[in-house]
Amino acid sequence: MTARLRAWLARPAGWTLGQRLLAAALALVLVVLPLAGLGLAYNFRESATAAFDQRLSSLLQVVLADLGYDAQHDQLTMTRSLGDARFERVFSGWYWQVTDRHDTALVSRSLWDQRLPVTTVDGVSVRNIRGPRGELLRVIERDVRLPGWPRPLHVSVAVSREELDAEVARFEWLLGLSLLALGALLLGGLALQIRWGLAPLRRLHADLERVESGAGERLDTRLPGELSELAGAMNEVLERDRRLIERGRSAAGNLAHALKTPVSVLRTVSERLPEAQRRQVHDELGRIDEAVRHHLARASAAGGSTLTGRVRVGEAVAPVVDGLARLAGRRGIALERELDPELTVRMDPQDLQELVGNLLDNALRWARSRVRLSLHEEAGTVVLCIEDDGPGMTAEQRRAALARGARLDEHRSGSGLGLAIVEDLMGLYGGSLSLETASLGGLAARAVLPGGRAPGRR
């Protein structure tokens, strides 16, 4: 099987329900209407031919009734005309003939010097023959015996099929046009029926998109019975997911508070230990604290992005940026901000603050005198870029840092969010993180998130 054939066979798998139903209706119309047309055309042709043959039979009876024998002159006679001028016009396509298969023949004037073919028949026979001019004729014939005439006579009446064939052709043409119009009306009606019937599904799909984009929290249940039950069940699932997410975030916060006190107590107790042991205990407590913060951050980032609404980035990160700006001032570092207040992202504000806070904190740890925070729109996405004028990283170091998911400030003290957590957040919300060389000379962390300007502010 060729690749093109496999692709053609697999193509309907991606069709929508409306396309599938319309394709099925089209296939049904293309099969049923031609079969119905063939059946109607056949029946009409047979009916028209039977009526035509009945007319021929009547003409044959007239010929037989008017046929006579003149004993005085020993010849066949016709007592009167058939009443149709076409039998008198030469080669008109309307002929009659009486012959005894020998030298005697009585024919219509229309045959002139030509003769119709004679065959041996039993009873009345109807068939098609070619006429004097090669035209197709419908002939009815039979053998009879005339009193006084010594031999059987063969009587034939032939009429051109032109009128019959024209009538059949005209019917078939009108039938074809009618079936085409009917097919178009049926497909149009079925398309409207399918569109009307699938309208609740489109409404359900639109509601799902609203929930996914954060513009709504529940699905509308004012739908037909089956879909209303489905929407209700999905609302229950959404509500349960919200409760689970909130419960997980709450549990993460409670765990952080629960561990904070024991760790602080252990730090205090360790101060009474000798210097060597105190340093060792402090290091281990630092690892515990780092591990707890790491896994709590991952748990916090595990919320469902589809259940969040749009937030203005500038407003959401303002508290974090303001707090770190004061810290930068105490360290003698200038924090430059270039924020577009109208840009929005579909992201939980807490996750957004955690993302910006950790990246900005890392930049402040490594910067010498300047850090730049910029936020702008680019190709329908929101780009958050944090640059510093620190020592930066080589290309190999940047690739290794992203590959292993280590902390950006791995060689300095602190417990900031590692690259693994940042990448988790990016993956959760459909974004990306890259490390580049900053225009200030140090490292640039570039986070790209789906978003744009606030609705109605373009």
Side-chain angles (χ1 to χ4, degrees):
M1 184 182 295
T2 64
R4 181 177 297 180
L5 180 58
R6 286 197 298 270
W8 184 83
L9 292 175
R11 188 178 303 168
W15 288 1
T16 63
L17 284 177
Q19 291 172 333
R20 288 170 178 263
L21 292 174
L22 194 58
L26 176 62
L28 186 63
V29 167
L30 292 178
V31 170
V32 172
L33 288 187
L35 290 178
L38 290 175
L40 290 173
Y42 174 79
N43 288 329
F44 179 81
R45 190 181 303 109
E46 292 297 312
S47 177
T49 302
F52 194 79
D53 291 345
Q54 185 64 36
R55 185 179 179 184
L56 286 178
S57 179
S58 299
L59 291 174
L60 180 64
Q61 295 300 322
V62 172
V63 172
L64 292 176
D66 293 342
L67 182 62
Y69 170 60
D70 185 352
Q72 182 178 358
H73 297 90
D74 191 27
Q75 65 181 8
L76 299 173
T77 62
M78 287 289 292
T79 58
R80 58 176 181 172
S81 172
L82 268 65
D84 194 316
R86 285 175 289 189
F87 286 107
E88 303 298 326
R89 191 169 64 248
V90 177
F91 301 139
S92 63
W94 289 60
Y95 314 112
W96 60 264
Q97 172 180 285
V98 179
T99 178
D100 61 358
R101 293 184 176 86
H102 290 80
D103 296 334
T104 302
L106 190 63
V107 299
S108 63
R109 179 178 176 79
S110 56
L111 266 176
W112 196 242
D113 59 348
Q114 300 293 317
R115 296 294 181 266
L116 298 175
V118 177
T119 59
T120 302
V121 295
D122 293 328
V124 180
S125 174
V126 182
R127 59 193 177 96
N128 296 321
I129 62 172
R130 290 292 174 181
R133 297 290 184 176
E135 72 274 27
L136 190 61
L137 303 177
R138 186 75 170 169
V139 62
I140 183 171
E141 53 193 341
R142 66 171 297 179
D143 290 337
V144 296
R145 282 192 173 273
L146 186 66
W149 193 261
R151 293 178 296 275
L153 298 175
H154 186 81
V155 182
S156 306
V157 176
V159 175
S160 172
R161 286 186 56 100
E162 182 179 359
E163 181 180 343
L164 172 63
D165 293 338
E167 184 178 2
V168 172
R170 183 167 56 253
F171 174 81
E172 290 178 347
W173 183 75
L174 291 175
L175 177 63
L177 288 181
S178 300
L179 290 179
L180 284 176
L182 178 60
L185 289 175
L186 283 176
L187 288 177
L190 288 172
L192 291 176
Q193 180 182 357
I194 291 170
R195 181 170 181 80
W196 177 75
L198 296 181
L201 282 177
R202 290 195 297 274
R203 286 171 50 199
L204 183 61
H205 181 261
D207 282 349
L208 284 172
E209 288 184 337
R210 288 179 59 253
V211 172
E212 183 181 8
S213 65
E217 295 184 354
R218 294 178 60 83
L219 303 178
D220 188 1
T221 57
R222 292 174 297 177
L223 298 168
E226 302 86 347
L227 294 181
S228 178
E229 294 179 2
L230 176 61
M234 295 178 72
N235 282 335
E236 293 179 2
V237 173
L238 291 173
E239 185 61 32
R240 185 169 64 250
D241 285 349
R242 288 192 186 92
R243 290 197 301 267
L244 290 174
I245 291 171
E246 292 301 324
R247 186 180 303 170
R249 290 183 180 273
S250 177
N254 292 337
L255 180 59
H257 286 292
L259 292 175
K260 183 178 180 179
T261 300
V263 171
S264 298
V265 171
L266 289 174
R267 285 184 183 276
T268 302
V269 172
S270 67
E271 296 295 333
R272 305 172 187 173
L273 298 175
E275 177 65 22
Q277 294 179 349
R278 183 170 66 249
R279 186 178 299 110
Q280 184 179 6
V281 172
H282 278 194
D283 290 343
E284 296 302 324
L285 288 176
R287 293 182 182 180
I288 293 174
D289 188 48
E290 179 73 13
V292 169
R293 289 177 180 272
H294 175 85
H295 291 290
L296 286 179
R298 295 183 75 96
S300 177
S305 64
T306 59
L307 302 179
T308 60
R310 283 187 173 272
V311 297
R312 295 182 186 273
V313 182
E315 295 177 2
V317 303
V320 176
V321 175
D322 291 341
L324 290 176
R326 290 191 292 270
L327 176 62
R330 290 195 295 268
R331 295 180 181 177
I333 299 174
L335 177 57
E336 303 171 5
R337 309 180 218 183
E338 299 175 6
L339 303 179
D340 187 338
E342 301 302 331
L343 292 182
T344 63
V345 293
R346 187 163 51 85
M347 189 172 184
D348 184 84
Q350 180 181 347
D351 290 339
L352 184 58
Q353 292 172 2
E354 190 171 14
L355 171 67
V356 175
N358 280 276
L359 292 177
L360 189 55
D361 180 68
N362 177 78
L364 292 174
R365 288 178 184 275
W366 286 94
R368 294 189 179 97
S369 60
R370 292 178 62 193
V371 171
R372 179 186 299 157
L373 169 63
S374 63
L375 182 71
H376 62 275
E377 184 179 17
E378 185 177 298
T381 62
V382 172
V383 179
L384 174 70
C385 187
I386 300 177
E387 304 173 87
D388 63 65
D389 61 350
M393 287 182 170
T394 65
E396 291 184 0
Q397 288 174 334
R398 292 196 298 268
R399 286 194 297 269
L402 290 173
R404 67 174 179 263
R407 283 187 10 238
L408 295 177
D409 54 352
E410 190 174 85
H411 300 294
R412 293 196 178 185
S413 60
S415 55
L417 184 65
L419 276 181
I421 304 303
V422 177
E423 290 178 338
D424 280 350
L425 288 170
M426 292 296 97
L428 178 64
Y429 292 99
S432 63
L433 175 70
S434 61
L435 302 179
E436 304 170 357
T437 300
S439 59
L440 300 180
L443 184 68
R446 179 183 171 92
V448 181
L449 286 168
R453 295 186 179 275
R457 299 297 186 106
R458 290 193 177 275

